[in-house]
């Protein structure tokens, strides 16, 4: 799987560079996330946060593009597990995307769009606590394959994306937790 992902990213990045024709698009918005452990000893958590999504796309035509997105977010997390305090969530990924319709390119005039992306990322939980000798921190990394699918549409004069994301955990020490996120992203054209 790693080889396929690396080959795909290499293909998309060389296409962007070779065509010397790429566009920068970006969005900002809200996400609701939840983590589900595959083992019974893991911690279930939910998070509310913000996301920033820069995208570099290479237009194939007016309503179709391939590209790379770099979603990054910060969340306040409620944990039902073994954390001594409510942790802070930090998520990031690199994803190879295929974009159709609205906001797939700057020239798109379509009223509806969709996209799919596959990549690698992490949803990390940082917990801070005082053990009597000072403030300590604990990091619970939920890294692995990242996938996202979404639709784009206009809403009251603003283009928005509704996105479902998933990090399939590969970290054996935390029970390979899967993290899901539902996002509402406001798209900004440059």
């Amino acid at each position: 799987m790693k080889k396929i992902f690396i080959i795909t990213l290499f293909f998309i990045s060389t296409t962007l560079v070779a065509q010397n024709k790429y566009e920068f698009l970006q969005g900002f918005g809200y996400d609701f996330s939840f983590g589900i452990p595959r083992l019974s000893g893991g911690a279930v958590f939910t998070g509310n946060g913000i996301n920033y999504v820069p995208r570099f796309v290479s237009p194939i035509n007016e309503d179709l593009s391939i590209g790379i997105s770099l979603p990054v977010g910060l969340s306040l997390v409620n944990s039902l597990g073994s954390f001594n305090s409510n942790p802070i969530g930090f998520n990031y990924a690199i994803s190879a995307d295929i974009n159709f319709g609205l906001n797939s390119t700057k020239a798109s005039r379509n009223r509806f769009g969709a996209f799919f992306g596959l990549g690698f990322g992490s949803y990390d939980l940082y917990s801070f606590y005082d053990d009597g000798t000072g403030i300590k921190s604990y990091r619970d990394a939920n890294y692995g394959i990242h996938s996202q699918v979404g639709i784009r549409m206009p809403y009251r004069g603003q283009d928005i994306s509704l996105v479902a994301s998933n990090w399939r955990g590969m970290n054996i020490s935390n029970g390979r937790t899967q993290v899901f996120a539902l996002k509402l992203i406001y798209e900004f054209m440059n």
Side-chain angles (χ1 to χ4, degrees), residues 1-188:
M1 184 67 178
K2 287 183 194 177
K3 290 180 183 179
I4 293 171
F5 173 67
I6 291 170
I7 291 169
T8 304
L9 275 180
F10 177 75
F11 171 73
I12 289 174
S13 62
T14 54
T15 302
L16 289 172
V17 172
Q19 289 183 359
N20 198 19
K21 184 173 107 177
Y22 62 91
E23 298 174 349
F24 175 72
L25 304 166
Q26 60 185 330
F28 183 79
Y30 165 79
D31 80 42
F32 172 75
S33 53
F34 53 97
I36 302 171
R38 291 191 212 166
L39 300 176
S40 59
V44 175
F45 61 87
T46 61
N48 290 288
I50 56 174
N51 254 240
Y52 174 65
V53 185
R55 299 185 291 134
F56 296 93
V57 299
S58 178
I60 295 173
N61 63 38
E62 190 175 281
D63 289 321
L64 178 64
S65 68
I66 58 172
I68 296 174
S69 64
L70 306 164
V72 63
L74 186 64
S75 300
L76 297 175
V77 177
N78 292 316
S79 175
L80 304 175
S82 60
F83 295 103
N84 294 331
S85 66
N86 287 337
I88 294 173
F90 179 64
N91 64 79
Y92 52 91
I94 181 168
S95 179
D97 299 332
I98 299 173
N99 303 282
F100 309 92
L102 179 67
N103 285 341
S104 60
T105 67
K106 290 182 180 182
S108 176
R109 300 292 175 247
N110 206 317
R111 301 290 296 157
F112 182 80
F115 64 94
F116 172 77
L118 186 62
F120 191 83
S122 188
Y123 195 108
D124 299 341
L125 300 176
Y126 292 92
S127 182
F128 302 94
Y129 59 94
D130 188 354
D131 68 351
T133 61
I135 295 181
K136 305 285 184 185
S137 66
Y138 173 76
R139 176 180 177 236
D140 182 16
N142 299 289
Y143 56 85
I145 302 298
H146 174 265
S147 60
Q148 62 183 0
V149 63
I151 58 172
R152 295 187 179 107
M153 64 187 139
Y155 178 74
R156 296 188 180 197
Q158 174 67 48
D159 294 340
I160 63 169
S161 292
L162 300 172
V163 186
S165 296
N166 175 244
W167 291 264
R168 285 185 104 34
M170 295 170 40
N171 186 357
I172 295 170
S173 68
N174 70 6
R176 296 184 176 184
T177 299
Q178 282 195 65
V179 182
F180 298 89
L182 304 173
K183 303 177 186 181
L184 173 64
I185 304 294
Y186 291 89
E187 299 285 341
F188 301 107

